[in-house]
Amino acid sequence: MINDVNIKDLDRQKWINNVFPEWGTFLNEEIDNTVVEENKFKMWWLGCTGIWVKTPADCNIIIDLWLDTGKQTRKFPAPPAWGQGKDFQMARMMGSKQWQPNARSAPMVIDPFAITKMDAVLSTHFHRDHIDPYVAAAIVANTDAPFIGPKYSADMWRKWGVPEERITVVKPGDSVKIKDVEIVAVDSFDRTALITAPPAGDIRGICPSDMDDRAVNFIIKTPGGNLYHSGDSHFSNYFVKHGKEYDIDVVLVSYGENPIGCSDKVTSVDCCRIAENLRAKVLIPFHYDIWSNMLADPKEIELVYNYRKDRLNYKFNVFLWEVGGGYLFPDDKGKKRFMFERGFSDAFEEEPNIPFKSFL
C-alpha cells in the first residue's frame, strides 16, 4: 500500500517495476475471465491498431499488438535501431531533414508477459507500431501460438528469434483455420508501407517490391460475424471488391491527423468511404490515439457521418472506442460510444463508513 511506503526505499527502477504497464494485469484478467456466448465475438482495443479477438471456442487472437514506445528524448542522434532524422522512414518518405516528434500517447493497457493463452499472433505489416519484439518474446515463452503475417513481418520475427516452425507467411487469398476462426489475408492498400523502403542492407529490402510481401489486411471470420482489420490501408476503390466477396460486419480503419507534407493516415471522409465500399455494418476508427504528432479527434468522423448519412443513405454505424475497452458483436452493433464500467452499482447496500452527512 502506498501509505506504507518510505521514500528512502524508492528509486527509478522500483517506480518502473511498480507502475508499468500502467494497467498491470487489470485487462489481462478481464480477458481471461470473459466467456463469449455462441454466435458472438468480443474484441478489445489495446492501443494503436492492436486488437485482441476472442470467440465462443475460446480462440484468442492478437493483431498488430505493439507495446514499445516512441520518442523518449530530444537528444539526437538517438540509438540507430529504427533510424532517426533523415534516415527515419517517415522523414525519407517526405524528403524531410527533421526527426518525427512522435511520442507515444496511449497507455500500456496489457501485460504481454502475463498472457497465458494465445492461439495466433498476427501482423499486418513491418512498421514498428504493428509488430513487437516484447510481444514475440512473451508469446514464444508462454504459448504455442503461431505467428502469421506477410513476408516482411516474418523476416522480422525470424531475426528476433521466433522459431521457424512457428512462422506462417501469408499473401492475399491465403487463409488459416484455428479453432472456430478462419483468418483470411486480403490485399493491403498501405501506400506508406509500399514507399517507405528501409535503408539498403535492411532485411526488409529496398524499393520497389511487391506490396503482398510487405503488407496484408486481415478478415477474421468468427461464429459471431466477420471483422475486417485494415492495418494502415489508405482508401482504395478495391475495397468494393472485398465488400462484394466477403460479408463484412465490423471494419477497423487507421484514422489520424496528417502532418504537413504527409498522407499517412486516413481522413474522416475516407473512413466513411471505406465502410461504405466494404458494405460494413459498423465503422470503428483506431490508430489516432498513439502518436502525439498525429493525434486526431474521432468526433470529426461523427460530424462527417451525420452530415452525409441521410443524403448518401449510409447503412453502417460509427462507433467511437476507448483504449482498453471491449466491444461485443452483435450486441454492441448499434452503440455510438464506449464507456468503461462505472462501478458502485451496489451503492448503499451497506451503510457508508464515512461521515458524509456532515457535508450535506
Side-chain angles (χ1 to χ4, degrees):
M1 295 293 292
I2 194 169
N3 292 335
D4 299 325
V5 166
N6 188 313
I7 61 172
K8 294 180 180 179
D9 299 327
L10 299 181
D11 56 27
R12 186 173 187 273
Q13 189 58 50
K14 289 182 179 178
W15 172 62
I16 292 172
N17 292 342
N18 290 334
V19 173
F20 298 98
E22 290 96 328
W23 282 32
T25 60
F26 184 86
L27 186 56
N28 294 73
E29 295 162 22
E30 177 185 330
I31 295 172
D32 283 346
N33 294 331
T34 296
V35 176
V36 181
E37 297 177 357
E38 294 298 322
N39 301 315
K40 300 181 182 182
F41 75 88
K42 186 157 186 178
M43 58 181 179
W44 291 263
W45 185 19
L46 308 179
C48 195
T49 66
I51 297 292
W52 186 309
V53 180
K54 191 169 187 177
T55 68
D58 197 29
C59 184
N60 293 273
I61 295 173
I62 50 174
I63 311 168
D64 283 7
L65 177 55
W66 177 69
L67 297 175
D68 208 328
T69 189
K71 296 296 187 295
Q72 294 179 297
T73 178
R74 290 182 175 271
K75 299 175 183 177
F76 288 90
W82 290 97
Q84 303 292 348
K86 64 183 178 60
D87 290 327
F88 186 68
Q89 62 189 22
M90 297 296 290
R92 288 186 286 110
M93 180 179 72
M94 294 181 287
S96 174
K97 296 180 181 180
Q98 296 181 357
W99 54 274
Q100 185 179 193
N102 58 328
R104 181 183 175 117
S105 297
M108 303 284 188
V109 298
I110 198 90
D111 183 344
F113 294 95
I115 295 174
T116 58
K117 295 189 298 183
M118 186 53 56
D119 294 288
V121 177
L122 278 58
S123 168
T124 60
H125 64 290
F126 62 92
H127 281 161
R128 60 168 298 186
D129 50 352
H130 298 263
I131 188 169
D132 188 288
Y134 299 103
V135 172
I139 297 301
V140 167
N142 298 332
T143 79
D144 296 322
F147 290 71
I148 302 170
K151 179 182 181 299
Y152 279 28
S153 294
D155 287 344
M156 296 190 74
W157 284 324
R158 195 175 290 115
K159 181 180 180 181
W160 292 336
V162 175
E164 185 66 35
E165 64 273 14
R166 295 183 63 171
I167 298 174
T168 300
V169 177
V170 292
K171 287 187 174 184
D174 293 341
S175 66
V176 179
K177 190 77 166 62
I178 301 176
K179 291 184 176 178
D180 57 348
V181 166
E182 183 181 3
I183 301 164
V184 181
V186 295
D187 311 82
S188 170
F189 314 113
D190 182 0
R191 292 189 300 276
T192 305
L194 189 62
I195 66 177
T196 52
D202 189 282
I203 61 168
R204 294 162 287 180
I206 57 175
C207 206
S209 68
D210 192 341
M211 172 70 94
D212 295 346
D213 289 338
R214 292 170 177 262
V216 297
N217 293 347
F218 285 112
I219 297 175
I220 311 301
K221 301 173 74 173
T222 82
N226 297 332
L227 171 68
Y228 191 108
H229 191 296
S230 65
D232 271 354
S233 285
H234 300 87
F235 176 77
S236 169
N237 293 325
Y238 211 80
F239 276 118
V240 172
K241 186 173 187 293
H242 291 174
K244 289 182 176 180
E245 292 177 342
Y246 302 95
D247 182 15
I248 306 301
D249 292 297
V250 181
V251 58
L252 302 165
V253 180
S254 286
Y255 168 63
E257 191 63 58
N258 291 301
I260 293 174
C262 178
S263 295
D264 184 54
K265 297 292 178 284
V266 176
T267 66
S268 55
V269 171
D270 279 347
C271 282
C272 292
R273 293 179 72 199
I274 289 172
E276 182 183 30
N277 278 254
L278 283 174
R279 303 180 182 181
K281 299 175 181 67
V282 181
L283 162 64
I284 303 179
F286 60 1
H287 209 321
Y288 60 85
D289 65 300
I290 199 74
W291 294 126
S292 59
N293 67 322
M294 294 188 182
L295 288 178
D297 188 342
K299 291 193 291 294
E300 181 182 316
I301 299 174
E302 279 188 327
L303 292 173
V304 170
Y305 172 84
N306 288 327
Y307 184 80
R308 298 159 63 106
K309 65 177 182 179
D310 294 328
R311 187 163 63 92
L312 299 184
N313 195 27
Y314 280 158
K315 304 295 185 183
F316 60 90
N317 179 49
V318 175
F319 176 76
L320 302 187
W321 220 348
E322 297 287 345
V323 174
Y327 183 85
L328 180 65
F329 190 87
D331 295 45
D332 295 339
K333 178 180 174 181
K335 284 188 176 181
K336 301 293 186 181
R337 298 289 185 93
F338 176 82
M339 180 61 189
F340 289 104
E341 180 184 8
R342 301 176 69 191
F344 303 111
S345 60
D346 63 345
F348 286 92
E349 288 188 9
E350 294 183 1
E351 187 66 22
N353 62 0
I354 58 174
F356 71 97
K357 292 182 179 179
S358 64
F359 297 101
L360 297 180

